[in-house]
């Protein structure tokens, strides 16, 4: 059956992502002067160390970096499709764990003697909500997709300045961006399908802020980051909806009335009961129709004895009057014997009403298939009658001269 993509589906995916990121981090002190109670010194506004003269002074210092986080991704998705002809509309929500990471080394700007830093940038998660538009070619459905994306990234910053090193709290933030891509779904069976998909994701303005570690001074670090991510993934989905696809056969189910339950489709086979009774089956398997006994055309023995054959070759009969009717009677009997044979109709077939009678009808089929008894040729019969008539005339002529 053709695949019907309509339905709700869910599944899992895995793939690989490569991104490019940029970030700017700015260090600064408070907006007003801060008095240190322990030492009685004042930290000027915007400075991070007393009097703004400390070896670890970071006020007005910043970091600019470019990174290329790469790594594997994995997650799950849920969505729905609605198919109208070849066009498939749908929506999908997916969430991805991301292992994309990159570590970069930086120099503080403006250049500060002995100030360096390192950033370990990680894209931690990706979440997208997208619309989909596809064209169904039976088991193959290419599609395009676009929507919104949430990107969560983290920056683990370490700064070395004035001979001291300190790790900042993680700079982590989430921002809303957009995504677009394309893919293809391949139906594996009625409900299972596989997927290959590419997405481009952009997330601008990820912001975060943390305090500067106390060993380096007082103040904060504020970061703004932008990421452009590309992911390729494969997925496996299970769809809840109409059946269809490879391995599903399209079978037409006939209604109950379409089945032949009364066996009326069998051919009519009729055999008259009186004819069936007149058929006998010998031991050799052939069918022979019973015929009325033939009447012999012969003169009685006492009449034959009264006939005398003289030495001249003529035949003399004492009672010609008794012999004459005999040939005429025999001539009448011969046609009567042939008439039933010639006029006997072919055996009709009896109709079978159910399967139990089919065997009986099959046995009677052999009877109707047997050859009919041979017919006496009418020409020979007439010749025989004429010969008998001529012979009787000669006998009557001899008797008349006696």
């Amino acid at each position: 059956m053709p695949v019907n993509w309509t339905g709700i589906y869910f599944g899992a995916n895995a793939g690989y992502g490569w991104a490019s990121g940029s970030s700017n981090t700015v260090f600064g002190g408070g907006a007003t002067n801060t008095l240190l109670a322990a030492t009685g010194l004042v930290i000027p506004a915007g400075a991070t160390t007393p009097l703004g003269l400390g070896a670890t002074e970071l006020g007005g210092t910043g970091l600019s970096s470019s990174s290329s986080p790469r790594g594997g991704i994995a997650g799950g998705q849920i969505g729905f499709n609605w198919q109208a002809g070849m066009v498939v509309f749908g929506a999908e929500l997916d969430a991805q764990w991301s292992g994309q990471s990159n570590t970069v080394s930086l120099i503080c700007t403006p250049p500060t003697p002995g100030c360096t830093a390192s950033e370990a940038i990680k894209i931690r998660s990706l979440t997208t909500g997208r619309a989909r538009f596809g064209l169904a070619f039976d088991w193959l459905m290419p599609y395009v997709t676009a929507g919104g994306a949430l990107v969560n990234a983290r920056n683990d910053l370490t700064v070395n300045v004035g001979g001291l090193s300190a790790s900042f709290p993680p700079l982590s933030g989430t921002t809303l961006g957009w995504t677009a891509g394309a893919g293809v779904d391949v139906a594996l069976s009625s409900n299972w399908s596989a997927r290959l998909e590419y997405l481009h994701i952009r997330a601008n303005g990820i912001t975060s802020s943390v305090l500067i570690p106390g060993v380096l001074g007082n103040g904060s670090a504020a970061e703004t980051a932008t990421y452009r991510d590309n992911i390729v993934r494969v997925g496996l989905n299970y769809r809840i909806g109409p059946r269809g696809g490879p391995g599903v056969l399209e079978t037409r189910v006939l209604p109950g009335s379409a089945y032949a339950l009364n066996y009326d489709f069998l051919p009519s086979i009729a055999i008259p009961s009186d004819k069936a009774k007149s058929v006998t089956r010998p031991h050799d398997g052939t069918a022979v129709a019973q015929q009325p006994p033939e009447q012999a055309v012969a003169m009685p023995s006492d009449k034959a004895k009264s006939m005398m054959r003289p030495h001249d070759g003529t035949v003399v009969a004492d009672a010609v009057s008794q012999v004459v009717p005999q040939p005429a009677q025999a001539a009448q009997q011969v046609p009567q014997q042939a008439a039933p044979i010639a006029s006997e109709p072919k055996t009709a077939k009896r109709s079978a009403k159910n399967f139990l009678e089919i065997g009986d009808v099959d046995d009677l089929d052999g009877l109707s298939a047997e050859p009919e008894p041979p017919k006496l040729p009418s020409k020979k019969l007439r010749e025989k009658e004429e010969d008998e008539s001529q012979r009787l005339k000669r006998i009557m002529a001899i008797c008349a001269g006696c």
Side-chain angles (χ1 to χ4, degrees):
M1 293 178 61
V3 176
N4 189 333
W5 294 94
T6 299
I8 299 174
Y9 64 88
F10 56 90
N13 67 78
Y16 185 81
W18 63 99
S20 61
S22 62
S23 64
N24 292 304
T25 305
V26 177
F27 303 101
T32 61
N33 295 338
T34 302
L35 177 63
L36 298 177
T39 61
L41 299 177
V42 176
I43 301 176
T48 60
T49 60
L51 304 178
L53 302 175
T56 60
E57 177 60 42
L58 293 174
T61 302
L63 299 171
S64 295
S65 68
S66 295
S67 59
S68 300
R70 298 172 182 268
I73 59 173
Q77 65 274 347
I78 184 171
F80 73 91
N81 292 322
W82 178 69
Q83 181 173 349
M86 288 185 60
V87 180
V88 180
F89 302 94
E92 182 175 295
L93 176 67
D94 69 88
Q96 303 289 133
W97 165 87
S98 173
Q100 301 174 83
S101 63
N102 185 220
T103 301
V104 295
S105 297
L106 307 172
I107 296 176
C108 299
T109 56
T112 300
C115 181
T116 60
S118 66
E119 293 179 343
I121 298 173
K122 297 178 182 179
I123 298 177
R124 302 175 63 188
S125 66
L126 302 168
T127 303
T128 70
R130 296 168 287 110
R132 302 201 316 159
F133 175 82
L135 292 177
F137 298 94
D138 195 4
W139 54 271
L140 187 69
M141 186 187 73
Y143 63 89
V144 294
T145 181
L150 285 173
V151 179
N152 176 267
R154 171 175 168 170
N155 182 4
D156 294 324
L157 174 64
T158 301
V159 176
N160 301 306
V161 61
L164 296 177
S165 178
S167 294
F168 284 64
L171 293 161
S172 178
T174 301
T175 190
L176 178 64
W178 60 268
T179 180
V184 59
D185 282 347
V186 180
L188 303 178
S189 66
S190 175
N191 301 100
W192 290 94
S193 63
R195 168 182 297 178
L196 175 64
E197 185 177 62
Y198 164 79
L199 291 179
H200 176 76
I201 301 172
R202 285 199 178 191
N204 300 323
I206 300 177
T207 59
S208 58
S209 179
V210 295
L211 295 176
I212 296 175
V215 296
L216 299 181
N218 290 331
S220 63
E223 179 188 55
T224 301
T226 298
Y227 295 97
R228 295 173 177 83
D229 199 4
N230 301 278
I231 62 174
V232 172
R233 59 189 178 182
V234 294
L236 184 66
N237 291 322
Y238 182 82
R239 179 178 56 84
I240 302 174
R243 289 179 57 81
V248 179
L249 302 180
E250 185 175 4
T251 304
R252 180 183 178 187
V253 179
L254 296 176
S257 60
Y259 294 96
L261 299 179
N262 54 3
Y263 317 125
D264 289 339
F265 62 90
L266 293 177
S268 298
I269 304 173
I271 296 179
S273 59
D274 55 346
K275 298 297 181 181
K277 292 179 180 180
S278 65
V279 178
T280 59
R281 188 183 300 274
H283 297 290
D284 57 357
T286 59
V288 179
Q290 294 181 359
Q291 301 178 359
E294 298 182 357
Q295 296 180 1
V297 182
M299 288 185 293
S301 59
D302 54 347
K303 299 299 180 180
K305 292 180 181 180
S306 63
M307 295 178 65
M308 298 175 58
R309 185 179 299 272
H311 296 287
D312 58 359
T314 59
V315 179
V316 178
D318 292 336
V320 176
S321 59
Q322 298 179 0
V323 178
V324 171
Q326 192 68 21
Q329 182 179 0
Q332 295 177 358
Q333 292 176 353
V334 173
Q336 292 177 357
Q337 295 175 4
I341 298 175
S343 61
E344 182 178 353
K346 293 184 179 180
T347 305
K349 295 184 178 181
R350 181 171 57 91
S351 60
K353 295 301 182 180
N354 52 50
F355 282 120
L356 297 178
E357 297 181 3
I358 293 178
D360 298 337
V361 172
D362 292 340
D363 294 339
L364 295 174
D365 286 344
L367 301 180
S368 61
E370 294 297 332
E372 297 180 356
K375 300 179 181 180
L376 293 177
S378 58
K379 183 177 181 181
K380 293 183 179 181
L381 182 60
R382 289 194 300 269
E383 292 178 353
K384 185 176 180 181
E385 293 175 355
E386 291 176 358
D387 293 342
E388 292 292 336
S389 177
Q390 292 295 332
R391 189 172 65 86
L392 292 175
K393 288 180 180 180
R394 288 195 298 267
I395 294 173
M396 292 176 64
I398 294 171
C399 294
C402 295

